[in-house]
Amino acid sequence: MPLVSTRQLLDEAAKGGYGVGAFNVNDMEQIQAIMEAAKETNSPVIIQASRGARAFAQDNYLYHLMLAAAELYPQIPLAMHLDHGNSFETCESAIKLGFTSVMMDGSLKPDGKTPATFEENVAVTKKVVDYAHERGISVEGEIGVLGGIEDGHGAGGSGLDHVTDPDQAVEFAELTGVDSLAIAIGTSHGAYKFTKKPDGSVLKMDLLIAIHKRLPKTHLVMHGSSSVPKDLQDIINQYGGKLKETWGVPVEEIQLGIKNGVRKVNVDTDNRLAITGAIRKVFIESPEKFDPRDYMKPARAAMQKVVAQRMVQFGQAGHAGDYTAISIADMAKGYANGTLVTKPLVGAK
Ligand code: G3H
Ligand code: 13P
Ligand code: ZN
């Protein structure tokens, strides 16, 4: 299948009542791990690259690796998404390169650190939506600010510092016309999300439910959705790592989100943990080895295992064959003729 729009994947997920994992990549092995997991579980999938990933791998390498993935797995609906675009220019360059969806994270100023005003967020996101939709590319916006900081991106602090206000979410969706909306309900990026096992009251699921009721057609996105499994932490620490005790987002909370309009679930940290644990194990158990394949193969397999597990847990498993690709040109027509426009239920409370 050619690379498809994230909007198509999320529309199908909404029809089927499941979520789609969006997994971050920086290199070929991570793309391979995700595609093998998608094949194993027969799942549609979103592969996403951050600004950091684009700088690390270089755009052309990333794009051609994604084309190879689409070519090698024609049965898998696959979208290539820009994660946390910080400006119009970053989104524009991703679209010019061939990304099939972008996130304009206008919740932060272009420095990727300072919370932006509502007006600034609306203005830059709307500019990206206009540019992207004309070209058939879907757009994710963010309202509210996640906690934590990853590779210089993020406001820092707790995930509960700037949770999303439902009124603002509705106004934002109306003013911008985004296809999907990342909301802040208490999660943060990275491994250090919670200092004790979060019970059901830690994440603001009531907010999520309220937002979904009022924006039933806007796909919700949960960032910072790694579960930071104890067994993956233990492997790292057993082989010389020094992770402090930490908890992530319980999978059951994500599943509750999926029942209430979450269609895209962002996971990066869990895969980082799986890769690092597998590599540490080889280094400690077989210090004589020096062929990178000796540790990259188990690292790739460890990531595949986590991704496949999440695909089953999010419900996307088994859905790869449900639909055929809509071309990006036809998506552009859909935006132009209004078929793909997402409008909140007017006055819904
Ligand atoms: O949202 C953050 C993702 O985990 C990507 O992280 O900016 O370090 O590539 P990164
Ligand atoms: P995690 O750090 O929880 O994996 O979140 C990743 C993410 O939100 C990418 O945008
Ligand atoms: Zn994120």
Side-chain angles (χ1 to χ4, degrees), residues 24 48 83-84 188-190 193 223-226 266-269:
N24 288 76
Q48 57 187 10
D83 192 26
H84 292 287
S188 13
H189 289 117
K193 301 185 195 299
H223 280 246
S225 295
S226 278
N266 283 18
V267 174
D268 186 359
T269 297

Side-chain angles (χ1 to χ4, degrees), residues 78-122:
L78 166 63
M80 180 177 181
H81 178 75
L82 169 72
D83 192 26
H84 292 287
N86 64 325
S87 65
F88 174 79
E89 290 71 26
T90 302
C91 295
E92 180 189 37
S93 68
I95 292 168
K96 281 188 174 153
L97 183 69
F99 279 71
T100 55
S101 60
V102 295
M103 175 187 193
M104 176 60 235
D105 181 358
S107 71
L108 301 173
K109 289 185 187 274
D111 67 4
K113 290 181 177 54
T114 319
T117 65
F118 179 76
E119 291 71 24
E120 286 167 335
N121 191 357
V122 167

Side-chain angles (χ1 to χ4, degrees), residues 144-312:
V145 182
L146 256 76
I149 187 154
E150 281 288 286
D151 200 16
H153 180 98
S158 146
L160 293 167
D161 288 349
H162 305 275
V163 293
T164 305
D165 168 41
D167 288 333
Q168 272 202 346
V170 173
E171 206 184 334
F172 183 81
E174 246 162 16
L175 292 171
T176 61
V178 286
D179 302 86
S180 58
L181 186 60
I183 54 171
I185 54 163
T187 63
S188 13
H189 289 117
Y192 298 103
K193 301 185 195 299
F194 305 110
T195 50
K196 60 183 170 69
K197 187 174 189 313
D199 59 22
S201 65
V202 170
L203 290 174
K204 301 287 172 205
M205 283 297 165
D206 48 335
L207 280 184
L208 189 148
I209 292 167
I211 294 167
H212 178 51
K213 272 209 184 109
R214 294 176 62 187
L215 288 175
K217 290 189 186 170
T218 305
H219 305 302
L220 300 182
V221 183
M222 239 172 115
H223 280 246
S225 295
S226 278
S227 298
V228 196
K230 176 96 169 64
D231 59 330
L232 295 182
Q233 296 179 45
D234 288 347
I235 295 174
I236 291 180
N237 286 341
Q238 182 186 344
Y239 293 103
K242 283 201 165 56
L243 292 179
K244 287 173 278 174
E245 198 171 37
T246 178
W247 280 268
V249 181
V251 169
E252 314 81 71
E253 294 291 312
I254 298 169
Q255 289 168 333
L256 179 61
I258 291 170
K259 285 202 181 86
N260 290 284
V262 170
R263 299 291 159 234
K264 177 170 176 278
V265 187
N266 283 18
V267 174
D268 186 359
T269 297
D270 285 352
N271 293 324
R272 293 177 172 186
L273 294 171
I275 290 168
T276 299
I279 291 176
R280 279 192 171 278
K281 186 168 187 287
V282 175
F283 282 180
I284 298 293
E285 285 183 348
S286 314
E288 75 287 357
K289 292 201 163 150
F290 60 89
D291 180 342
R293 289 170 296 194
D294 288 334
Y295 51 86
M296 291 311 294
K297 268 199 215 167
R300 190 172 59 185
M303 172 161 165
Q304 181 182 335
K305 191 171 161 208
V306 173
V307 173
Q309 198 180 20
R310 295 290 176 268
M311 286 171 161
V312 171

